[in-house]
Amino acid sequence: MAVWRQQLAGNFPRIAVMLHDLFMVWACWQLLHVARYAMLDTAPTLPLLGFDVAVVMLLQALAFRYVGLYRGLWRFASVTDLVNIFKASFIGLGAIVLVLSYKRLDGIPMSVLAIYPFALAALLGGPRLLYRAWKDYQSIHSDARARRVLVLGAGHAAEALVKDLRRSGDYEPVGLLDDSPHLKGAKLQGIPILGNIADVASVARETAAKLLVIAIPTLDAAGMQRIVALCESTGLPFRTVPRLSDVLEGNTLPGQLKEVAIEDLLGRKPIQPDWELIRGWLRGRTVMVTGAGGSIGSELCRQCARHGVSRIVLLEISEILMLNIQSELCRNFPHLEIECVLGDCGDAAVARRALTLYRPDTVFHAAAYKQVPLLEGQMREAIRNNTLATECVARACQEHGVDNFVFISTDKAVDPANALGATKRYAEMICQSLNQKKGGTRYVTVRFGNVLGSVGSVVPLFREQIRKGGPVTVTDPEVSRYFMTIPEACLLILQAAASSSRGAIYMLDMGEPVLIRVLAEQMIRLAGKQPGADIAIVYTGLRSGEKLHERLFYADENSKPTAHPKVLEAGVREFSTERVLGSLPRLREAVANYDADTMQAILSTVIPEYSPVQETAESRAKTNIVPFPSKEAGRN
């Protein structure tokens, strides 16, 4: 019953309009007869609702429905509505003549039939135009400061948005658009639903909207791309409401509008982790995060704090990054116990000290060097920080009885072609080798690709280049990368770590790879510019260590699904544990002596698939003339 009443209330304006139109049909028919006989000085008695009148009203109602007269609203009556009224009037006249011809139109003057469609069009169109003129007058004389807003979407988010806009007094919602057929012509909070989202350009003109707001927080990337393209075609500014996950995670406030970000266009459907599993695994634990101030490390700290850990140990070499994440956690989680260890996790004394003092149950090892082109000329530091530091922390966890060691790896460890990939792959093999010992620490590796918006990634670089007027630099028209958002990556890390088996390597489902060229073009458009016309895109050539495309798995890893659809497990690859662990003393000695040849030789021996990609002379020449070199390899 409640649903029936709600539907009736939603359709009441349309029913009222239909009753008005039927009354006008009756009035038109009666008045034309009265006028005709008045000219002859006769006064015939006309029944208020005789057979002929009932037939006329029925046939005319069917004509109204046939031409779709009730798809529009009086508030926005236009020439199109008047054309439909005339069309319906003439179709109705034809039907009346055809049906009543069985009695040879006896009693119906020909003058009535000749004037009928024009008189009916005037009676139907006049009230519509007067109503629109009145509403336009009200809009003009209302608060001139209120910004006229057209809302895309008519769900719960749109309903809440309309309420917030009205309360603010700074915005005036003038209409909504939605693709649901049953909502057309209805109202939401008194605001009419004016058509489909594809009609945004024409409706925006008719309503004199000054701002578009996308109120569909459940949109996937493809849907958001479609709607953003439609909004861009209007030339109007547009905003979006935040996703529920962003509100719950404290990244934005309910009802707060935000600009459409590149993350909205490249993201996938919202992840639904197994919250019960994750919270049960984290609740009451002490966790330690290395590289706690970095993009991934800091987000892991936030997620762990949000989902029930009792204490977080922050291990970070940068005092500024340490101070930032410590202050944020203390401010947002005042009851959480937070410990700080300032130092290099590759220093065995630092690692042992942190583990001895705070006895963590789980260690997330996120500390690493991750900039591909830079590391090609810094092999020693890449090995020291990515490989040897991982081994240092991993062994210390084993010695101190830590339950879980979660190593954050990269897709560049698959068929490595650069220092980052090779050093991360060696670290993966170390974790798997240490895990072969019975009992003790459980070692888990999680791989993923580039992270949108992380420090050193391509997105902040493109934003800065666009802000300065260009050019935007891309290494190659065909270069592609896998992307995730930082919160998405960290949620899947927790999901994999909570449900994993010993020694496993997990790969996060990164969706489809994204062409960096397309990424650049989308970011330029989001800034209100046109690629090529307003902002140039310059191709600089691949740099040392960079590949055109990345892969998620080795060909022989034979990935298999897990309990979570966004987490895949790599099959076990055969390698020599003795060679992996036995080469470490020589590798440490080569690092201590800056012996680059020995370091390269050891990596090539331990990782036979390691095949460095060299920068070409053409690439160097192109790069030298571009003021802002691209960094799409980015941080993990």
Side-chain angles (χ1 to χ4, degrees):
M1 182 64 71
V3 174
W4 181 83
R5 285 199 300 268
Q6 185 176 3
Q7 290 178 343
L8 181 62
N11 290 321
F12 180 76
R14 185 181 301 177
I15 295 172
V17 170
M18 294 171 66
L19 292 175
H20 164 273
D21 290 350
L22 288 176
F23 172 78
M24 287 301 181
V25 173
W26 175 85
C28 179
W29 193 257
Q30 298 283 1
L31 290 173
L32 287 176
H33 278 79
V34 170
R36 170 68 180 83
Y37 289 110
M39 293 174 64
L40 300 175
D41 293 326
T42 60
T45 301
L46 294 177
L48 293 179
L49 191 62
F51 176 77
D52 288 355
V53 177
V55 169
V56 168
M57 293 178 65
L58 175 61
L59 294 175
Q60 195 61 65
L62 293 174
F64 291 155
R65 181 175 179 83
Y66 175 75
V67 301
L69 187 61
Y70 303 112
R71 294 173 188 166
L73 297 173
W74 284 29
R75 170 65 183 89
F76 306 106
S78 62
V79 174
T80 301
D81 295 295
L82 293 180
V83 170
N84 285 335
I85 289 173
F86 271 105
K87 189 186 299 183
S89 299
F90 279 98
I91 292 175
L93 174 63
I96 291 167
V97 171
L98 183 64
V99 172
L100 295 182
S101 62
Y102 78 95
K103 63 172 197 172
R104 300 187 179 184
L105 301 175
D106 185 33
I108 303 176
M110 294 302 296
S111 58
V112 170
L113 295 176
I115 300 173
Y116 169 78
F118 301 99
L120 181 60
L123 288 173
L124 295 178
R128 284 169 164 81
L129 294 179
L130 288 173
Y131 183 79
R132 170 157 188 175
W134 174 59
K135 296 296 288 186
D136 288 344
Y137 176 85
Q138 281 189 322
S139 298
I140 293 171
H141 291 82
S142 62
D143 188 353
R145 297 171 300 172
R147 195 174 185 187
R148 298 172 67 81
V149 178
L150 181 61
V151 179
L152 281 64
H156 294 298
E159 183 178 19
L161 174 65
V162 168
K163 291 179 181 178
D164 291 339
L165 292 176
R166 283 173 164 169
R167 278 196 296 264
S168 72
D170 297 327
Y171 298 93
E172 179 191 358
V174 295
L176 302 102
L177 298 176
D178 197 278
D179 289 336
S180 299
H182 68 281
L183 292 178
K184 292 179 181 177
K187 290 188 176 182
L188 183 69
Q189 294 294 318
I191 306 299
I193 299 172
L194 305 177
N196 294 330
I197 291 175
D199 303 325
V200 60
S202 59
V203 174
R205 286 193 300 271
E206 290 181 2
T207 58
K210 301 300 180 184
L211 176 67
L212 309 176
V213 178
I214 303 170
I216 317 175
T218 57
L219 274 177
D220 59 11
M224 181 62 81
Q225 289 171 10
R226 167 182 167 263
I227 292 180
V228 165
L230 291 170
C231 291
E232 288 173 341
S233 70
T234 67
L236 295 173
F238 55 93
R239 301 288 184 271
T240 184
V241 297
R243 296 179 183 273
L244 179 61
S245 58
D246 292 333
V247 175
L248 295 176
E249 292 167 8
N251 298 327
T252 187
L253 298 175
Q256 184 180 44
L257 300 182
K258 70 183 190 74
E259 293 186 354
V260 177
I262 191 64
E263 291 85 348
D264 299 316
L265 300 184
L266 297 182
R268 288 161 295 283
K269 292 181 180 180
I271 292 175
Q272 297 298 329
D274 186 342
W275 293 115
E276 184 176 353
L277 176 67
I278 292 174
R279 288 168 182 153
W281 185 66
L282 288 175
R283 188 177 297 116
R285 285 177 175 260
T286 295
V287 301
M288 184 172 84
V289 181
T290 69
S295 303
I296 294 298
S298 60
E299 182 62 22
L300 278 172
C301 292
R302 296 182 195 102
Q303 296 284 0
C304 289
R306 196 171 292 124
H307 298 300
V309 299
S310 61
R311 179 167 61 176
I312 296 180
V313 182
L314 311 176
L315 179 52
E316 175 59 61
I317 196 171
S318 166
E319 60 177 346
I320 298 300
L321 295 181
M322 171 77 82
L323 182 62
N324 290 342
I325 186 61
Q326 180 196 29
S327 301
E328 179 185 337
L329 293 176
C330 289
R331 182 173 61 254
N332 295 333
F333 306 96
H335 303 297
L336 180 65
E337 191 176 345
I338 300 170
E339 307 291 349
C340 297
V341 178
L342 186 64
D344 182 358
C345 63
D347 184 336
V350 171
R352 287 195 299 266
R353 176 71 172 171
L355 295 175
T356 301
L357 278 178
Y358 304 116
R359 312 297 300 179
D361 302 291
T362 298
V363 171
F364 293 96
H365 183 52
Y369 287 143
K370 303 166 187 176
Q371 302 302 316
V372 169
L374 177 64
L375 292 182
E376 288 305 284
Q378 309 291 334
M379 180 60 79
R380 177 190 185 272
E381 292 306 306
I383 292 174
R384 190 190 65 81
N385 202 37
N386 293 353
T387 304
L388 297 181
T390 301
E391 187 241 355
C392 173
V393 179
R395 285 192 185 276
C397 287
Q398 193 176 67
E399 294 167 2
H400 289 79
V402 176
D403 293 337
N404 305 285
F405 177 83
V406 182
F407 172 54
I408 312 301
S409 188
T410 171
D411 57 354
K412 294 165 185 64
V414 178
D415 292 324
N418 47 54
L420 171 60
T423 54
K424 282 286 193 175
R425 176 57 187 158
Y426 201 154
E428 288 182 359
M429 298 164 77
I430 291 172
C431 292
Q432 288 186 302
S433 299
L434 293 176
N435 195 80
Q436 293 182 6
K437 297 184 178 180
K438 294 183 179 180
T441 303
R442 181 175 66 119
Y443 293 90
V444 177
T445 296
V446 182
R447 287 184 196 144
F448 55 90
N450 293 34
V451 175
L452 287 168
S454 62
V455 177
S457 77
V458 67
V459 171
L461 176 73
F462 282 176
R463 285 197 182 110
E464 180 66 13
Q465 291 177 337
I466 293 168
R467 187 185 67 82
K468 292 182 177 181
V472 172
T473 56
V474 178
T475 56
D476 190 280
E478 299 303 318
V479 70
S480 67
R481 294 291 182 264
Y482 290 96
F483 284 99
M484 306 187 91
T485 64
I486 296 174
E488 182 183 25
C490 291
L491 273 178
L492 289 179
I493 290 171
L494 294 178
Q495 178 73 45
S499 57
S500 63
S501 57
R502 299 178 61 89
I505 294 179
Y506 292 91
M507 186 68 215
L508 307 188
D509 179 2
M510 304 290 295
E512 295 299 320
V514 176
L515 286 171
I516 303 300
R517 167 179 53 81
V518 173
L519 176 70
E521 292 171 351
Q522 288 176 326
M523 291 188 65
I524 292 171
R525 291 192 187 98
L526 287 179
K529 309 291 184 181
Q530 288 300 315
D534 302 316
I535 302 288
I537 297 178
V538 176
Y539 298 102
T540 63
L542 291 174
R543 296 168 297 168
S544 180
E546 291 183 328
K547 296 189 291 185
L548 269 179
H549 312 293
E550 300 289 354
R551 297 176 56 192
L552 303 179
F553 291 98
Y554 283 93
D556 58 350
E557 280 186 320
N558 298 320
S559 64
K560 57 184 179 180
T562 66
H564 194 280
K566 293 290 185 178
V567 180
L568 305 173
E569 182 177 351
V572 178
R573 299 187 76 232
E574 296 296 330
F575 62 88
S576 171
T577 301
E578 291 77 12
R579 180 181 296 167
V580 169
L581 299 180
S583 299
L584 288 173
R586 288 182 57 225
L587 189 61
R588 291 192 198 95
E589 182 180 356
V591 166
N593 296 326
Y594 271 88
D595 187 345
D597 292 338
T598 302
M599 286 186 277
Q600 284 283 2
I602 293 173
L603 289 180
S604 298
T605 301
V606 175
I607 313 168
E609 59 272 19
Y610 173 41
S611 179
V613 174
Q614 298 299 323
E615 182 182 30
T616 65
E618 181 183 3
S619 298
R620 284 194 298 271
K622 287 183 180 179
T623 304
N624 288 338
I625 64 171
V626 176
F628 305 105
S630 171
K631 297 181 182 177
E632 61 264 31
R635 288 175 64 113
N636 286 322

